[in-house]
Amino acid sequence: MADDPHALFESWLAEARLAEPNDPTAMALATADSQGCPSVRMVLMKGHDERGFVFYTNYDSRKGGEIAANPRAALLFHWKSLRRQVRIEGPVEPVSEAEADSYFATRSRDSQLGAWASDQSRPLESRSAFEARYEEVRSRFEGGEVPRPPRWGGWRVGPERIEFWNDRAHRLHERRLFTRSGQGWSEGLLYP
Ligand SMILES: Cc1cc2nc3c(=O)[nH]c(=O)nc-3n(C[C@H](O)[C@H](O)[C@H](O)COP(=O)(O)O)c2cc1C
């Protein structure tokens, strides 16, 4: 019987929260367009449970277009201080509107306004144009709550593979691969 990779992930993340000087939840998110051309960028993991790993972004960003065309992704955590990495692969689904609303409500007001002001991944004529847009949304929502922008929300990567890589002496690193099988997981080792 395989261990539960979600529980193992949580225990590694708890150690990373203690060891990493900043952003222990930062992960590389790789997507590919309809031609299979890959792209990768960092995002922050904002939720994790048996269903998967959640991040938030602008649905009209470059990653948004790629996920719409090809709804699969790969994630990578690299905890340098612990010399560990976790690789995750699987299909991507949007989180519910209610889940996105409740996360958006926890963000600072500045971040909420930033989500309205930024046409993420679109060409920006000048920094001052962005600042002017920020000022415009700031005064638009003055005195009230900032609602979630309609094209801003979350995605959940539902893992089919999760690999835990642990540094070992003499480059004899340990790789434990969990592969989804039915409702459970099968586990094996890989050569480093
Ligand atoms: C540590 C770190 C965390 C980031 N977290 C997020 C995030 O949670 N959501 C997001 O949209 N962009 C985040 N970004 C910015 C992205 O890396 C990227 O610049 C942006 O999402 C646009 O990517 P795209 O053009 O491929 O869509 C983060 C960047 C760094 C360096």
Side-chain angles (χ1 to χ4, degrees), residues 109 112-113 137-147:
R109 193 174 179 86
Q112 292 176 334
L113 294 171
V137 295
R138 201 180 57 75
S139 56
R140 195 187 331 159
F141 295 114
E142 187 105 62
E145 283 190 9
V146 183

Side-chain angles (χ1 to χ4, degrees), residues 8 15 48 56 74 109 113 134 141 144 156 180:
L8 182 56
E15 287 179 65
H48 164 248
Y56 288 89
R109 193 174 179 86
L113 294 171
Y134 185 88
F141 295 114
R156 177 175 282 109
R180 187 120 199 113

Side-chain angles (χ1 to χ4, degrees), residues 10-190:
E10 281 300 326
S11 79
W12 279 28
L13 180 62
E15 287 179 65
R17 286 186 197 279
L18 298 174
E20 293 300 332
N22 51 45
D23 289 340
T25 62
M27 57 188 185
L29 162 72
T31 54
D33 67 15
S34 57
Q35 309 298 303
C37 294
S39 69
V40 65
R41 79 290 290 154
M42 300 303 293
V43 292
L44 295 178
M45 194 269 290
K46 291 293 179 180
H48 164 248
D49 61 21
E50 262 93 81
R51 294 170 299 166
F53 298 81
V54 175
F55 62 91
Y56 288 89
T57 194
N58 184 315
Y59 286 141
D60 294 327
S61 61
R62 178 177 176 192
K63 71 181 93 50
E66 294 188 0
I67 291 169
N70 178 9
R72 297 190 62 85
L75 303 173
L76 175 74
F77 291 87
H78 179 208
W79 293 305
K80 286 187 183 180
S81 314
L82 298 172
R83 296 199 161 85
R84 283 177 173 173
Q85 73 174 344
V86 179
R87 297 169 63 173
I88 295 151
E89 289 157 41
V92 187
E93 282 190 342
V95 305
S96 69
E97 303 270 311
E99 192 174 346
D101 284 341
S102 64
Y103 171 67
F104 190 76
T106 67
R107 287 170 53 112
S108 69
R109 193 174 179 86
D110 281 351
S111 306
Q112 292 176 334
L113 294 171
W116 278 96
S118 174
D119 261 345
Q120 193 177 57
S121 312
R122 302 286 155 103
L124 170 63
E125 175 191 305
S126 65
R127 187 78 201 166
S128 57
F130 183 37
E131 285 163 5
R133 275 183 68 136
Y134 185 88
E135 272 311 304
E136 187 276 310
V137 295
R138 201 180 57 75
S139 56
R140 195 187 331 159
F141 295 114
E142 187 105 62
E145 283 190 9
V146 183
R148 177 173 60 87
R151 298 295 295 157
W152 189 98
W155 265 298
R156 177 175 282 109
V157 180
E160 290 175 342
R161 286 168 67 103
I162 308 183
E163 185 204 310
F164 295 83
W165 186 103
N166 209 1
D167 183 69
R168 288 290 173 90
H170 315 299
R171 311 246 159 201
L172 302 179
H173 310 306
E174 180 186 70
R175 297 179 65 187
R176 289 176 73 183
L177 174 64
F178 293 83
T179 312
R180 187 120 199 113
S181 83
Q183 290 307 299
W185 294 93
S186 57
E187 183 184 347
L189 298 176
L190 297 174

